[in-house]
Amino acid sequence: MSEGSISNEHQLNIAIIGAGIAGLVAALTMSRAGARVQIFEKAEELTEIGASIQLSPNATKILQTLGLEDELKKHWIEPHSVKLTDAQTLRIIAEVPIAELAKNSWGAPYAVLKRADLQHVLYQAVLADENCSLHLASSLNFDGPNRLSIDVAAKMGVKPDLIIGADGVWSSVRKVMPLTGHPKFGNYNAWRFNADLSARAHLPPEISSSRSIHVLMGAANHTAIYPADDNGNSNVIFITRDKNDKPETIKFDKAISRYDLHPNAVHMLQSATELGCWPINQITDGTWNNGRDMVLIGDAAHAMMPFSAQGAAMAIEDGYLLSKMVTDSPYLISDMLQKFEKTRKARITKVKSRTAFNRFAYHAIGPIKWGRNLVLSRKSPQSLGRGLDWLYGWSADD
Ligand SMILES: Cc1cc2nc3c(=O)[nH]c(=O)nc-3n(C[C@H](O)[C@H](O)[C@H](O)COP(=O)(O)OP(=O)(O)OC[C@H]3O[C@@H](n4cnc5c(N)ncnc54)[C@H](O)[C@@H]3O)c2cc1C
């Protein structure tokens, strides 16, 4: 058998750069298939980054397969529905019953949880796995692909069969690979904060007290409100169109005042404390593998705009599918990397199109907005849900 192919006798040695969502899912899936995995993370500890995220059934199905559902259930909330609301009038335009659809059509829960809790559950599973070892505060030599390979091999004590770059939007692995994409500011910033019941007291009761996800759709902005716990706390993300990618130079009050929002929505936004602001960057099109032994997954390969809440879900799909393809196949790893990139690019392109469509619909103004409201209000909740079957009903094992 030639070098780089997989035989039953050879235990694969895998290096993963980055212990984010993509890297940890890849590590667990590889290890469960018998590979030996070493993860190199530059942070000294894994701390809270990124507040709450939505995890759709295409992602939770994979986490179920990895045996993590019981642990994750301690942290996540399964919202009843997604309610699309006009940010100027606070009138609910449409509702998708995601809990019911998740159970009956998509085959796994639709959940909301803190990114840090998801990472922690994955991290604990990796620590408990005898085939995985994780090196925190790890600095590698990124002066070129050969230097990286030599440095990783020296740290692992063995030449890795594959180096996976799961190191996020500012990936260093991407920089040593040919023909890759690059980060580009997406002209949007995301403001995040927690809002308790009193902060939402002025909103209509169906928004202030519910266990649903609310999307307040405004002109060139939207606000997503997620249930954060059973005590009525919510996590709020206010997404604004800005040409300026330096949040520290933008005042939050000024950002709010630029938009025509219902006064009670403004009231909730103004209640924000411990506010964080993230510029939203995406990765332009490019190659994800070096044709030999290096591949990018998750945000390192294809960070996308957040309008369909699929960045982490795609990172989970990538980590799982790559690992399945590499460990299940009798072919050369280099061939599997090409196949992985081709398969995943088709899906990522479709998700990005949906993301662009959501941005257009959420942020519509004038006649487009009235048309949107009319079309959405006439659709049945079930038909709105059916339009998402291709996304949420996806399974890597089909
Ligand atoms: C406003 C907003 C809202 C979002 N909401 C959602 C949502 O609702 N649902 C959803 O699915 N997604 C959402 N996302 C996207 C999601 O958070 C990301 O797509 C996802 O976390 C990417 O995971 P990752 O593992 O690829 O990268 P990351 O989570 O960025 O992890 C990369 C890891 O690599 C490490 N690293 C970096 N450089 C190096 C290096 N040189 N050496 C070693 N380690 C390194 C980092 O420290 C980090 O631990 C949202 C994003 C934004 C901006």
Side-chain angles (χ1 to χ4, degrees):
M1 187 146 300
S2 52
E3 194 184 347
S5 65
I6 300 155
S7 76
N8 290 336
E9 302 86 57
H10 174 66
Q11 184 178 30
L12 285 176
N13 282 291
I14 309 290
I16 298 180
I17 318 299
I21 309 305
L24 293 171
V25 167
L28 286 173
T29 314
M30 290 279 186
S31 146
R32 305 275 161 90
R36 205 192 307 270
V37 185
Q38 300 207 32
I39 310 161
F40 299 92
E41 164 61 48
K42 77 170 178 187
E44 284 176 16
E45 53 181 331
L46 300 180
T47 48
E48 178 146 358
I49 305 171
S52 290
I53 56 171
Q54 300 179 49
L55 266 191
S56 48
N58 46 318
T60 56
K61 203 174 295 167
I62 291 172
L63 299 168
Q64 279 179 333
T65 307
L66 292 174
L68 302 174
E69 187 178 9
D70 287 347
E71 206 47 47
L72 285 165
K73 274 193 160 169
K74 295 177 190 164
H75 302 282
W76 78 30
I77 286 192
E78 296 177 33
H80 300 311
S81 61
V82 175
K83 293 184 183 177
L84 300 174
T85 303
D86 188 315
Q88 262 179 313
T89 61
L90 292 185
R91 187 168 73 85
I92 294 172
I93 309 294
E95 180 167 1
V96 185
I98 48 168
E100 181 197 318
L101 286 165
K103 192 163 155 229
N104 299 329
S105 304
W106 299 326
Y110 196 113
V112 175
L113 82 171
K114 286 197 182 122
R115 179 193 173 279
D117 288 336
L118 171 59
Q119 189 182 26
H120 184 71
V121 169
L122 291 165
Y123 174 58
Q124 291 301 324
V126 160
L127 289 186
D129 191 313
E130 58 181 19
N131 276 336
C132 292
S133 37
L134 197 149
H135 313 273
L136 292 172
S138 160
S139 69
L140 295 161
N141 187 332
F142 290 103
D143 286 345
N146 294 338
R147 288 285 179 87
L148 178 60
S149 296
I150 291 166
D151 198 18
V152 168
K155 289 195 162 74
M156 289 176 80
V158 61
K159 182 178 177 300
D161 296 282
L162 177 63
I163 297 180
I164 301 176
D167 50 345
V169 70
W170 300 108
S171 170
S172 301
V173 179
R174 194 180 54 235
K175 287 187 195 139
V176 304
M177 288 174 53
L179 304 172
T180 56
H182 56 85
K184 187 176 168 218
F185 178 54
N187 290 330
Y188 282 87
N189 284 304
W191 307 81
R192 308 214 207 199
F193 61 96
N194 294 317
D196 61 16
L197 264 177
S198 66
R200 305 195 312 279
H202 295 266
L203 296 174
E206 62 273 25
I207 300 179
S208 66
S209 61
S210 90
R211 267 178 68 107
S212 291
I213 296 168
H214 291 274
V215 181
L216 310 187
M217 304 179 292
N221 77 90
H222 75 270
T223 306
I225 309 173
Y226 302 156
D229 57 31
D230 290 324
N231 302 321
N233 292 309
S234 293
N235 195 259
V236 180
I237 307 179
F238 179 45
I239 298 205
T240 57
R241 185 167 165 78
D242 292 300
K243 293 222 166 60
N244 189 340
D245 67 343
K246 299 210 167 33
E248 67 274 18
T249 66
I250 310 168
K251 291 270 180 292
F252 187 53
D253 277 349
K254 201 167 161 213
I256 300 171
S257 69
R258 287 209 304 259
Y259 301 107
D260 186 10
L261 301 170
H262 190 283
N264 291 346
V266 172
H267 191 277
M268 180 197 63
L269 291 171
Q270 284 175 334
S271 75
T273 52
E274 295 183 36
L275 188 68
C277 183
W278 285 265
I280 298 175
N281 292 288
Q282 41 187 336
I283 298 297
T284 59
D285 291 342
T287 304
W288 300 354
N289 80 91
N290 70 348
R292 210 175 54 248
D293 59 359
M294 265 185 216
V295 63
L296 301 172
I297 59 173
D299 274 10
H302 49 66
M304 60 177 70
M305 303 301 285
F307 302 106
S308 50
Q310 283 294 308
M314 290 302 118
I316 290 169
E317 287 188 7
D318 278 1
Y320 186 75
L321 194 71
L322 172 71
S323 308
K324 294 279 285 180
M325 287 172 94
V326 167
T327 55
D328 279 359
S329 161
Y331 298 108
L332 288 172
I333 285 185
S334 55
D335 290 346
M336 294 321 294
L337 298 187
Q338 302 290 9
K339 189 172 173 205
F340 168 77
E341 182 171 326
K342 190 166 175 237
T343 311
R344 289 304 293 161
K345 274 189 169 160
R347 177 141 169 99
I348 296 291
T349 302
K350 216 172 158 191
V351 174
K352 282 187 174 176
S353 301
R354 175 73 198 200
T355 302
F357 172 78
N358 283 356
R359 186 195 64 76
F360 174 74
Y362 288 179
H363 293 187
I365 52 171
I368 297 175
K369 174 182 144 172
W370 301 123
R372 171 200 73 194
N373 288 359
L374 190 68
V375 170
L376 282 177
S377 58
R378 287 191 174 169
K379 284 204 171 201
S380 73
Q382 270 66 24
S383 78
L384 283 169
R386 272 199 303 276
L388 294 163
D389 285 352
W390 67 272
L391 180 56
Y392 299 156
W394 182 90
S395 167
D397 296 313
D398 285 347

